[in-house]
Amino acid sequence: MKKVVKVSIGNLAFTIEEEGFLIIKGYLNELHDHYDTKENGQEIIEGIEERMAELFVEKCGANNVVTSSAIKEVISILGRPDVIDEEQSYSSSTTSSSYKNKIPKRLFRNPDNKVLGGVCSGLAAYTSIDTTLVRVLFVLLFIGFSFFGLMHVGGGGFMIFAYIVMWIAIPEARTVEQRCAMYGEPLDLNNFQRQMESGFNQAGKGIRRAGREGVEAMSAIATVISKIVSVFLIVISLGGLIFFSFLFLGVEIFKDVVPVDFLDYVNIGIENPVYLKIAFLCMIFLPFIGMLYGGIHLLFGFRPQGIRPGLIIFILWIISIFTFGILATKASRPFWSDARSEQEVVINDKYDTLYVKFESSTGVPSSRVMLNAGYSDYTLFWMEGEKNSQQIVAFPHFKIVRQSKEEGSLLIGRTDSHSYTYSEALAKAQKNLPSYEITDSLITIKPNIYSKQNKFDATFQQVMLYIPEGVKVIVTSPIEHDFERRIERDWIFNCDRNRRYDDRWEGRYYDFKERIERKKDRIERRFN
Amino acid sequence: MNEINTDNIKSQMRKGVLEYCILSILNNNDAYASSLISELKDAKMIVVEGTLYPLLTRQKNQGLLSYRWEESQQGPPRKYYAITDKGRELLAEMDSAWIEIVETIALIRNNKK
C-alpha cells in the first residue's frame, strides 16, 4: 500500500507517491532558497516548475501516478540550483567543480530522536557530540545544580527552566532541508533520501500540514502546552502521592510519639472501619495515580493495547467514592438522631455576687486547655496521670447569660446526645446530665473523667448561668479566672494567658460602639 | 584529473555561447521554452534543463527577447518566446564576433600545421 498525494505542478494536476512528494517539495524548496533572493527569481522557478510538469507528462502521462524514480530522473534532468549556476554563468564560478552545496549548520530540535522535545538531540547534532552523551551531561548538570548549591540560579529548576525555554525557542526540524541543516549536511540527493527515510513518520505529518503554516504553528504551541501540562501533572501527582503517603504513614509513626492518642478515649459507636479506611485511601490516591498516568501518557504519547488504564482508574475511583459514601453513612448511624435533656435550678436571689468553682480532686494544673475563653463562656479541660494511664478531665461548657433585672438567677444543666434512635439518644442524655452543686452563693461544677475504660461517648454538656442586671460572678477556681462586668449582655473572662483575646474583643466592641454613634449622627443630620 | 579539466574547458566554452545560441534559435522561429530546450539538448549545448530558465529571464530583462502566453499541447498556456529588435542587433554583433573567432582559430590552427 502506498499513500499518494494530489498536487498541482505548473497548472497541471498530478498524483504522486508520498515519498516522491517529499523529494519534489525538497527540490522546490532548494530552488526557492537559491532564487528567491535573486532578481525575477520567482519567474525562474515558475519556468522550471512548468518544465517539470511537461517532463512528468512526457514520462508518465497526464493521469498517471508519477513514481518516485521518475521524479528523481526529472530532477536530475532539470538540475539542482548549484549545477544550473555552474552551467549558465560564464562570468564567474570557473572554480571548484567539486564545490558542494554546503549549507551552514543551524540549531534545530530533532524530532526523530527525542525524549521530551528533542532539545538534547538537536544540541548534539549541532555540536557533533553523541546524543546520549549530551543527555547524560544534561542530567548530570541537573543533579549537580540541585545538590551543589548554585541556588542563586534556582538549583536544578534552572536546568528545567532552561530546557523549557530552549524547547519553545528552538524550532523543530520539520522539513528534510531543516534536518540536513541540523547536521550541517549538504543537500544532495543522498542525504535527502536518508533524512527522508529516517524522518518518514514525522514527514508524513508534515504533508498534512504542508501549506498550512498557521495550523502548524498552532499545533506546535499546543504540543508545547501539552508537554508543560504533562510535566505539571506528573509533578503534582508525585507530590500528592508522596505527601499523602507521608501524612498517613506519619499518623502511624507518631502514634508512639504523641503523648496521648485521643482515639483511645473516644467511643462514639463506630465499628472498626477497615473498609471505610480502604475506600478513603482509594478516594484520595486514585486521582493522583490517574494524573500520573495521564501525565506520562501525554509526555511520551504511548498508546496501550486493549486495556485503558485511565478509564479503569477512573471507574475504580467512582466505585471508591460510592463505597466511601455508603460506608460513611452506615458508620454515622450513631449520629442519626439527637436528643437534649435539661435541668433547671433557681438560685436564691438575695445574693448580688455568685461564686463559681471548677472542682477537681487533684487540683487545677497550670497546663490546662481553655476553649473560647475570653467571651462570656468557655470550655475547660486537662490531662492527668502517667503516659499509659492518662485521663482527660473535662468540664461542661460554661456560659453566663445576662438577662433583665426582673428575672432571677437561674442555673441550667443541659446535655445533647446522639444515637441511632431518638429514645436511645434521650436516655443517654438524661443519664449524662452535668453534675454540679449549689451551696448558698457557691456553684461547684464537677468534671467528667475520660479514660481508656470510660471513653467519651459524644455527649455534650453545658452549664448556663442566667443572671439579672447587677449580679456579679466571680470564678474562685481556677483563681485567675475572674468574670467582671464590662457591657450590657456579655461577660469577659480575664486571665493573663488570654489577654490577647481580650484586647481583640475589646477593640471590636469599641469599633462597634463608634459605628453606632456615627450612624446616629448621620440619621440626626438627615432629619434636621 | 585530465578528463575533468577537458570537461571543464568544454563547459566553459559552452557557457560562453549559450546565450548566443538561444538568440539564434529564436531568430529563426518563435518558440516555447520546451522546444528551446530540446534543440539545445540535441546540440549538446546544455546538460541540465534548468539552466535555460535563468538565462531566458535575464535576456528578457535585458530586452533581448519577449514572450506571450500561448496554449501549449499539454493544455495550460505556456510562455512563447520571441526575439526583439534589440536582440537582433545584439545577435548581429554576436554573429560577426563569432565568425571572427572561428576565423582566428582556423588561422591559428592552420599556422600550427
Side-chain angles (χ1 to χ4, degrees), chain A residues 84 214 240 375 407 411 441 456:
Chain A
I84 292 173
Y375 291 91
E407 289 165 291
L411 189 74
S441 62
F456 172 68

Side-chain angles (χ1 to χ4, degrees), chain A residues 137-427:
Chain A
L137 257 170
F138 206 90
V139 172
L140 282 179
L141 273 176
F142 170 68
I143 295 169
F145 272 95
S146 305
F147 277 87
F148 305 113
L150 292 168
M151 293 315 276
H152 56 286
V153 285
F158 168 72
M159 291 302 285
I160 294 173
F161 181 71
Y163 191 95
I164 290 171
V165 166
M166 284 195 277
W167 197 342
I168 295 166
I170 302 173
E172 191 180 58
R174 288 180 193 285
T175 64
V176 180
E177 310 91 274
Q178 286 173 335
R179 249 178 236 127
C180 283
M182 184 171 69
Y183 292 104
E185 281 170 350
L187 233 180
D188 58 38
L189 255 186
N190 285 338
N191 284 327
F192 205 77
Q193 199 83 1
R194 197 159 54 75
Q195 289 302 334
M196 198 193 67
E197 277 155 16
S198 78
F200 206 75
N201 289 329
Q202 192 68 21
K205 283 184 225 155
I207 284 173
R208 267 173 271 125
R209 288 194 295 236
R212 305 187 329 207
E213 295 295 323
V215 176
E216 197 169 318
M218 287 296 286
S219 80
I221 292 167
T223 310
V224 171
I225 290 172
S226 84
K227 296 281 178 184
I228 292 171
V229 166
S230 66
V231 170
F232 270 110
L233 277 179
I234 290 174
V235 169
I236 290 169
S237 59
L238 284 179
L241 286 174
I242 292 167
F243 174 76
F244 281 104
S245 301
F246 273 91
L247 188 71
F248 294 135
L249 284 174
V251 170
E252 295 297 312
I253 292 167
F254 290 122
K255 225 171 183 170
D256 297 331
V257 181
V258 174
V260 75
D261 184 355
F262 284 97
L263 289 176
D264 284 348
Y265 296 85
V266 173
N267 177 18
I268 51 176
I270 295 174
E271 291 127 45
N272 189 22
V274 180
Y275 295 110
L276 188 67
K277 278 180 186 167
I278 291 171
F280 179 71
L281 289 181
C282 284
M283 207 170 70
I284 297 287
F285 280 110
L286 280 176
F288 289 115
I289 292 169
M291 276 163 77
L292 183 64
Y293 169 77
I296 292 171
H297 184 89
L298 257 182
L299 194 56
F300 299 105
F302 65 86
R303 191 159 283 281
Q305 297 295 312
I307 55 157
R308 292 177 61 190
L311 190 67
I312 292 171
I313 292 169
F314 182 71
I315 290 170
L316 282 177
W317 186 57
I318 297 293
I319 290 173
S320 71
I321 288 175
F322 273 105
T323 312
F324 179 80
I326 290 164
L327 289 178
T329 311
K330 214 176 150 194
S332 68
R333 268 170 66 112
F335 291 89
W336 283 6
S337 299
D338 52 3
R340 168 174 289 182
S341 179
E342 278 185 350
Q343 191 180 48
E344 276 183 30
V345 179
V346 177
I347 299 166
N348 194 329
D349 55 5
K350 69 181 177 189
Y351 305 112
D352 60 353
T353 305
L354 292 172
Y355 297 91
V356 177
K357 188 182 167 192
F358 291 84
E359 193 190 64
S360 162
S361 54
T362 51
V364 180
S366 57
S367 62
R368 62 193 171 266
V369 179
M370 283 161 292
L371 302 175
N372 226 12
Y375 291 91
S376 61
D377 58 340
Y378 68 89
T379 304
L380 173 69
F381 69 92
W382 63 78
M383 277 172 284
E384 277 182 357
E386 291 308 307
K387 195 183 171 188
N388 283 323
S389 60
Q390 268 187 326
Q391 26 185 261
I392 299 171
V393 180
F395 287 90
H397 182 77
F398 182 70
K399 187 171 185 174
I400 298 168
V401 183
R402 175 73 72 182
Q403 47 187 8
S404 66
K405 225 166 197 169
E406 294 75 43
E407 289 165 291
S409 300
L410 189 70
L411 189 74
I412 298 177
R414 172 192 286 177
T415 300
D416 288 302
S417 172
H418 301 270
S419 195
Y420 181 44
T421 64
Y422 176 73
S423 53
E424 276 172 31
L426 189 64

Side-chain angles (χ1 to χ4, degrees), chain A residues 10 12 35 39-40 43-44 47-48 50-51 54-55 76-79 83-84 86-90 94, chain B residues 8 12 15 19 34 37 41 46-51 53-55 57-58 60-61 67 74 76 78-79:
Chain A
L12 284 171
Y35 288 113
E39 199 190 352
N40 292 79
E43 210 177 326
I44 296 169
I48 293 175
E50 279 167 12
R51 180 65 186 159
E54 284 170 5
L55 287 171
S76 71
I77 289 171
L78 289 170
V83 182
I84 292 173
E86 220 176 293
E87 209 173 85
Q88 55 103 2
S89 63
Y90 48 88
T94 50
Chain B
N8 197 9
Q12 293 295 325
K15 275 179 206 169
E19 295 193 46
S34 53
I37 283 171
K41 273 191 121 176
I46 57 171
V47 180
V48 295
E49 299 187 358
T51 309
Y53 294 91
L55 287 177
T57 306
R58 192 197 298 155
K60 186 210 75 185
N61 289 345
Y67 65 79
Q74 262 93 34
R78 295 283 186 247
K79 283 173 185 169

Side-chain angles (χ1 to χ4, degrees), chain A residues 501-518:
Chain A
Y501 231 121
D502 255 337
D503 295 347
R504 203 165 65 189
W505 187 86
E506 253 177 316
R508 203 183 293 161
Y509 165 66
Y510 288 120
D511 279 356
F512 181 66
K513 213 168 158 188
E514 269 175 34
R515 215 160 54 215
I516 287 176
E517 266 159 24
R518 260 185 275 137

